[in-house]
Amino acid sequence: MTEREAAPQVSAAAAPEPAVEPVLAAENLVKHFPADNGQVVHAVNGVSFSIRPGEVLGMVGESGSGKSTVGRMVLRLLKPTSGTVRFRGRDISALPERECRPLRADMSIVFQDPWGALNPRMKVSALIGEPLKLHTPLSSAERRRRVEELADRVHLSTAFLDRYTADLSGGQLQRVCIARAIATNPKLVVLDEPTSSLDLSVRAGILELLAELRDETQVAMLFISHDLGTVRLISDRIVVLYLGSIVEYAAAQEVFERPAHPYTQALISAHLPPDPRARLTRHVLEGEIPSPIDLPEGCPFAARCPVVQPRCGQEVPQMVPVGDDGHRAACLRIPEGGNQIPR
Amino acid sequence: MALLQVDDLQTRFISRDLDNQVRVAKAINGVGFSLGRGEVLGLVGETGAGKSLTAQSMIGLLRPPAKVVDGLVEFDGRDLLSMDPGALNALRGNEIALVVQNPLTSLDPLTRIGDQLIRVHRAHRKVSVAQARERAIDMMAAVGIPAPERRMRAWPHELSGGMAQRVLIAMALINEPKLLIADEPTTGLDVTVQAQILDLLRDMVRRMDMAAIVITHDLGVVAHYCDRMAVMFAGAIVESGPVDSVFAGPAHPYTQALISATPERLALGSGAIVGGPPPDLYALPEGCHYRGRCPHAAEVCGSAPPDREIGAGQVARCHFAGNLPAAFQ
């Protein structure tokens, strides 16, 4: 943790708003999907955030909260229903498919399931070399050299380069996916639950690698996960999503130490630290995340909120500052201090 | 007397390769533990360590090419390994219940959930449909399903993951089992729902005075919901003991590595991560199976490590157990 605190991007996160231009700025992103009978799935409902170079933004939320949809929209793998995605200052939210293609060299994604993400009929060298083939004019010899360099960088033995994916373990495959993702020196990498399908010790190695890459290349990362422990470890700042809306946004440490939104508080209190001596001060929420088809009126969390009031069912809460370091949360009860849930 | 006693359980996968040579994977290698009523045992380890296979071996759910080749499983005074399939069938779902990881694929998609509960109850109890129905509604209420009477008519696809897991727990407990085996009961669920399900399971175990085995890879679940834990590696228990003592002073290098690798304890950039591929079960090394990944491995590790008693009830299978430097803190 001490190294992280010394890193420049953490102090930047604590300062108001730095002069560095964000790599990515999402403004008011909305995504609706059509459902049966003319109904609409409101997957993402007005999400705004930005990521600076060398910053890891953690995005947490339960399944159905819209995390992955946001991740795909900022890469333009999905077209937003409305809102803008600014990538290095340029609005890419409405670019035609064809014009998105050159952008792929500058932005990439690592998925949860490395077994499903890689073509089993391609050798590892071809898999890592594929983005280079598509986006760079490198000759095949140069490409091979670069592939070896990349394998080295993700700590994958070059002996694996001439093997097929079936010969590799999950952790090794995820390293291949990461090598692919960083092959063209992108400015932004979206990591969608990159460690969720991996064993604990393997997971630790992948996190270590990601932190290393961030420090060396200043790549911006959007780290999507439902695992609070992992997100806390790797992220500089964290956004908490619930039912397609951001409910809280703050520096990583701050979210865990002073969660303001009742949902964030409940989420953190439900987390089980791997230490029997850690006292649990839990508030177990009732029910589950509601259907995004019939969005509730007012606050999206009202139906499960332990400190709900009648007006929460009518008024949509806006993000309000909590403290003065950019920490913000969307709860109507924050101004009067009624946002603390009972434990 | 323990409700469940497992000794030296050995399970093998016996198959033939393309050259028609017999290949044997040593999947479970001498697992042993005992469990009393009211006790919750956490079985942890990485993928392929043999956690689920241990449970399946115990209650006769193995399919070829997997086969129990040696060992003893004594449940409530009866030897399960020599029991005939019919008798074992009468036991499973009745005195021994299993809750599996993926609730939605474990329910019959073509039967309303109420009928599935009634079916399980009537398979083991001589009761009328009406009585079974009453019992099913009671169980659904007990596991916290709102409007149980109405939900009896629900189809599995209408349930969320958390609700489906509650139904499976109701189904597992409807015949008041003595032993409950929960195999990754909350792995696919969200954290807030996980908390609900684990609270429910612990509550039911206490209330019904059952013994429970919770199979998980989540050390947080073990730390807060189990009384004792057993850490598996390469088909063997390498360390076991009361949860508090094992977390406070893990004695096996693998347990130390596992606990250090949790995000909460991890310090990125420390270079202290000892991961590695699991050993090849077709060609397990002589001596300690963890040798290849162990930072403390020495010559003596070429011989089989003894089970060393570390403290009250804590046992580690390592030549150096008790004499290793502390892994953290």
Side-chain angles (χ1 to χ4, degrees):
Chain A
M1 280 298 166
T2 41
E3 288 107 312
R4 284 252 329 279
E5 275 153 25
Q9 59 275 7
V10 175
S11 51
E17 274 302 310
V20 193
E21 197 196 334
V23 177
L24 175 79
E27 282 150 44
N28 218 0
L29 280 185
V30 173
K31 182 70 191 179
H32 293 168
F33 293 105
D36 292 346
N37 311 326
Q39 288 175 309
V40 176
V41 177
H42 301 84
V44 177
N45 309 299
V47 162
S48 308
F49 60 89
S50 64
I51 314 179
R52 290 186 290 272
E55 185 185 26
V56 179
L57 181 70
M59 185 169 272
V60 291
E62 297 177 273
S63 37
S65 62
K67 312 185 289 291
S68 296
T69 308
V70 169
R72 282 162 177 67
M73 276 196 288
V74 300
L75 295 181
R76 270 305 309 277
L77 296 176
L78 276 176
K79 196 168 181 175
T81 306
S82 69
T84 55
V85 178
R86 250 172 242 290
F87 179 66
R88 306 174 81 190
R90 177 177 175 212
D91 183 359
I92 60 164
S93 41
L95 278 190
E97 242 11 90
R98 194 152 24 92
E99 287 175 51
C100 286
R101 208 161 286 171
L103 288 173
R104 304 272 168 242
D106 293 326
M107 43 165 63
S108 56
I109 184 164
V110 175
F111 294 100
Q112 172 172 356
D113 170 20
W115 292 272
L118 298 171
N119 184 341
R121 302 183 65 174
M122 283 166 79
K123 282 187 178 164
V124 169
S125 57
L127 285 165
I128 300 178
E130 199 178 22
L132 297 169
K133 209 168 172 178
L134 291 170
H135 296 292
T136 66
L138 295 182
S139 71
S140 73
E142 288 167 328
R143 210 157 58 222
R144 176 73 193 192
R145 259 201 306 283
R146 173 83 178 130
V147 167
E148 282 172 10
E149 223 175 271
L150 284 164
D152 208 42
R153 171 155 244 174
V154 299
H155 310 299
L156 182 75
S157 159
T158 44
F160 287 119
L161 289 178
D162 294 310
R163 311 277 282 272
Y164 290 92
T165 56
D167 295 335
L168 276 66
S169 69
Q172 288 161 344
L173 290 178
Q174 201 56 300
R175 287 176 193 273
V176 173
C177 292
I178 293 171
R180 267 166 75 90
I182 62 166
T184 52
N185 291 320
K187 302 294 178 285
L188 171 71
V189 179
V190 173
L191 300 132
D192 193 352
E193 306 262 13
T195 57
S196 302
S197 57
L198 305 175
D199 276 318
L200 218 47
S201 55
V202 181
R203 180 181 299 187
I206 296 287
L207 289 173
E208 181 113 321
L209 168 64
L210 291 173
E212 209 178 286
L213 290 173
R214 177 216 29 211
D215 294 344
E216 282 169 16
T217 64
Q218 289 296 297
V219 62
M221 297 184 183
L222 177 62
F223 191 97
I224 299 171
S225 179
H226 67 273
D227 180 23
L228 293 168
T230 306
V231 172
R232 179 180 197 170
L233 185 67
I234 188 112
S235 307
D236 301 307
R237 286 187 298 161
I238 290 179
V239 298
V240 182
L241 276 187
Y242 188 80
L243 207 57
S245 301
I246 293 182
V247 297
E248 188 151 2
Y249 185 36
Q253 213 65 2
E254 179 79 7
V255 167
F256 283 87
E257 280 162 18
R258 278 176 290 280
H261 196 281
Y263 174 66
T264 316
Q265 295 172 37
L267 200 62
I268 290 170
S269 83
H271 177 62
L272 299 171
D275 180 355
R277 287 168 305 177
R279 214 165 54 85
L280 298 181
T281 47
R282 299 202 313 153
H283 184 99
V284 177
L285 284 181
E286 287 179 16
E288 290 172 42
I289 196 163
S291 153
I293 290 181
D294 299 309
L295 271 195
E297 298 265 316
C299 174
F301 186 57
R304 295 172 76 193
C305 183
V307 294
V308 68
Q309 288 188 326
R311 64 186 166 127
C312 301
Q314 292 136 27
E315 225 175 299
V316 178
Q318 302 300 314
M319 294 289 272
V320 293
V322 186
D324 48 9
D325 51 359
H327 183 174
R328 296 189 299 151
C331 174
L332 292 174
R333 301 208 56 188
I334 287 173
E336 36 125 349
N339 55 318
Q340 297 299 323
I341 64 173
R343 301 285 172 91
Chain B
M1 214 208 84
L3 176 72
L4 178 71
Q5 179 71 41
V6 179
D7 282 322
D8 195 33
L9 189 65
Q10 309 265 355
T11 298
R12 303 280 179 268
F13 283 80
I14 302 164
S15 56
R16 284 176 184 274
D17 65 10
L18 291 176
D19 301 325
N20 214 22
Q21 297 292 313
V22 174
R23 274 160 56 85
V24 178
K26 296 182 171 174
I28 303 289
N29 303 296
V31 163
F33 60 89
S34 70
L35 190 64
R37 282 200 159 226
E39 206 174 14
V40 181
L41 172 73
L43 210 51
V44 290
E46 58 194 25
T47 313
K51 309 185 292 291
S52 301
L53 202 64
T54 297
Q56 291 165 0
S57 303
M58 276 162 33
I59 59 175
L61 289 178
L62 290 183
R63 284 195 204 148
K67 191 174 182 327
V68 176
V69 294
D70 201 2
L72 172 88
V73 179
E74 202 173 77
F75 170 74
D76 209 15
R78 286 160 286 177
D79 177 9
L80 295 189
L81 295 181
S82 62
M83 203 176 256
D84 73 87
L88 211 48
N89 247 342
L91 213 59
R92 284 186 304 239
N94 188 14
E95 290 179 56
I96 302 176
L98 179 68
V99 173
V100 296
Q101 175 176 349
N102 194 334
L104 284 170
T105 54
S106 317
L107 291 166
D108 177 355
L110 299 180
T111 309
R112 295 181 195 271
I113 58 169
D115 293 337
Q116 299 192 41
L117 284 164
I118 291 171
R119 190 188 287 165
V120 169
H121 194 43
R122 298 221 327 142
H124 297 284
R125 296 279 187 280
K126 285 199 173 69
V127 293
S128 70
V129 175
Q131 283 168 315
R133 194 183 141 71
E134 203 131 304
R135 170 88 185 139
I137 294 172
D138 287 349
M139 277 317 295
M140 283 179 52
V143 297
I145 295 174
E149 216 146 325
R150 194 162 50 82
R151 285 293 177 99
M152 289 282 283
R153 294 188 51 77
W155 298 98
H157 73 263
E158 295 171 329
L159 303 175
S160 65
M163 271 306 151
Q165 195 58 284
R166 282 172 196 269
V167 171
L168 275 198
I169 292 172
M171 198 176 281
L173 301 183
I174 197 165
N175 292 325
E176 302 191 327
K178 295 176 180 152
L179 172 66
L180 175 72
I181 301 172
D183 190 353
E184 305 269 9
T186 57
T187 299
L189 304 177
D190 288 317
V191 269
T192 57
V193 181
Q194 162 173 308
Q196 299 166 358
I197 297 291
L198 289 171
D199 283 353
L200 168 69
L201 268 178
R202 184 171 56 186
D203 201 45
M204 298 302 264
V205 167
R206 295 231 170 109
R207 206 181 321 161
M208 298 167 83
D209 196 30
M210 289 180 277
I213 299 174
V214 177
I215 297 172
T216 179
H217 62 264
D218 186 338
L219 288 172
V221 172
V222 176
H224 297 283
Y225 287 91
C226 299
D227 305 310
R228 286 194 305 132
M229 65 192 282
V231 181
M232 290 194 70
F233 183 80
I237 292 177
V238 295
E239 182 158 4
S240 63
V243 166
D244 289 338
S245 346
V246 175
F247 273 94
H252 194 284
Y254 179 64
T255 317
Q256 296 182 346
L258 204 62
I259 295 176
S260 316
T262 53
E264 286 77 1
R265 303 221 192 216
L266 206 59
L268 290 186
S270 64
I273 292 162
V274 277
D280 181 2
L281 297 176
Y282 286 101
L284 281 178
E286 288 283 306
C288 176
H289 298 154
Y290 187 57
R291 199 163 33 137
R293 278 165 63 174
C294 184
H296 308 287
E299 196 132 335
V300 63
C301 303
S303 64
D307 278 332
R308 277 186 199 280
E309 178 116 20
I310 307 301
Q314 186 181 353
V315 175
R317 187 174 287 188
C318 172
H319 289 288
F320 300 111
N323 299 315
L324 287 175
F328 38 77
Q329 287 147 5

